[in-house]
Amino acid sequence: MSEHHSQATSPPPTGNPLHVGFFVTCLADLFRPSVGFASIALLERAGCEVSVPVQQTCCGQPAYNNGDYPGAAKIARQVIERFSDFDYVVLPSGSCAGMMIKHYPRILEGEWHEKATALAEKTFELTTFLSEIAAPVPDQQFPEPLHETVTYHDSCAGLRELGIKQHPRDLLKNLCDIDIAELSHSEVCCGFGGTFCAKMPALSAKMTDDKLADAGDTGAQLLTGGDLGCLLAIAGRARRQGLAMEVRHVAELLAGDYSTPAIGEPQ
């Protein structure tokens, strides 16, 4: 079963590198640029030519989730204009990828609906793209192996909208020799939920506490995942509780970036 939408795009004819438009995402741009750099390094190791349009902004998900469909549609049209010429569009976020793949065609009509559908067919979350479309990422000997036990948080949007589950685990095993210590409730929300955490902070905090307790029960010292929003919320709550749970984006682990301070740690 594919972990992507039903009409996956086949690679272009061989001979030329895949030209990938990299969508950084707001959170990576503002809070965790190392996720973007790690993602680009992985794509280039897989033989892709990577471009990062400087005019890109948000995917429009906050506006969409809060019912501002005209505002979300305006942002969607901007994204389509800036990314339509690439062979593929890749994002280090199942949440933002889900917005572009699933929701752009729903909020746009006429000619823009057709353009949104075409963009959706060539838009992929990072680990899905590396697993299904790009050439295999070559093995790389990192300066120091990762000795921590690692657990994985499956974000709601990536899991439920795009079916992202096995690909990040397989990549972690194949590239980094990391076996995941699975959470007992790996498919339960961490409590972030975009604006949900701001609208219902007490409930959100309880859900994040439960996620951290589950992670602690695995014996893991490091928690990773594919959505920075979830990871920021988990790391922030861990710091408030004084827990020594290291939190990193999966792209950072796959690229061998173990030296950048973990999310929420001092520079």
Side-chain angles (χ1 to χ4, degrees), residues 89-261:
V89 181
V90 176
L91 306 82
S93 164
S95 178
C96 297
M99 177 67 191
M100 294 168 65
I101 294 166
K102 297 293 185 179
H103 301 294
Y104 278 12
R106 294 175 180 169
I107 61 177
L108 296 173
E109 299 178 349
E111 178 185 359
W112 283 105
H113 172 79
E114 299 303 319
K115 291 181 178 180
T117 300
L119 186 76
E121 287 300 319
K122 61 181 183 180
T123 297
F124 288 80
E125 179 270 339
L126 176 68
T127 63
T128 303
F129 181 80
L130 292 174
S131 300
E132 295 188 358
I133 302 297
V137 178
D139 293 338
Q140 177 172 312
Q141 294 297 319
F142 301 133
E144 294 183 8
L146 188 66
H147 297 294
E148 291 96 334
T149 301
V150 179
T151 192
Y152 194 93
H153 167 64
D154 297 289
S155 67
C156 293
L159 177 68
R160 291 170 174 79
E161 289 188 335
L162 303 180
I164 300 167
K165 182 74 174 183
Q166 195 58 40
H167 285 333
R169 290 165 168 82
D170 289 345
L171 287 169
L172 287 167
K173 176 60 178 176
N174 294 336
L175 297 181
C176 310
D177 198 26
I178 292 174
D179 292 304
I180 296 299
E182 295 289 352
L183 298 164
S184 297
H185 305 287
S186 62
E187 299 187 0
V188 175
C189 178
C190 70
F192 172 62
T195 55
F196 169 79
C197 64
K199 292 178 178 179
M200 305 190 72
L203 180 56
S204 172
K206 175 61 169 63
M207 295 171 72
T208 309
D209 288 347
D210 290 345
K211 181 66 65 173
L212 282 166
D214 193 357
D217 288 344
T218 67
Q221 297 88 39
L222 190 154
L223 181 144
T224 190
D227 268 288
L228 195 50
C230 301
L231 300 179
L232 285 166
I234 293 170
R237 191 65 184 166
R239 298 293 85 76
R240 282 179 174 270
Q241 292 188 350
L243 300 177
M245 180 65 68
E246 188 176 347
V247 180
R248 295 183 181 275
H249 192 280
V250 65
E252 297 173 309
L253 297 186
L254 293 173
D257 179 7
Y258 306 153
S259 60
T260 299

Side-chain angles (χ1 to χ4, degrees), residues 25-50:
T25 78
C26 297
L27 293 181
D29 182 34
L30 296 173
F31 295 104
R32 194 70 175 174
S34 56
V35 172
F37 294 129
S39 300
I40 292 170
L42 287 164
L43 291 168
E44 290 180 340
R45 282 173 56 196
C48 299
E49 177 186 349
V50 184

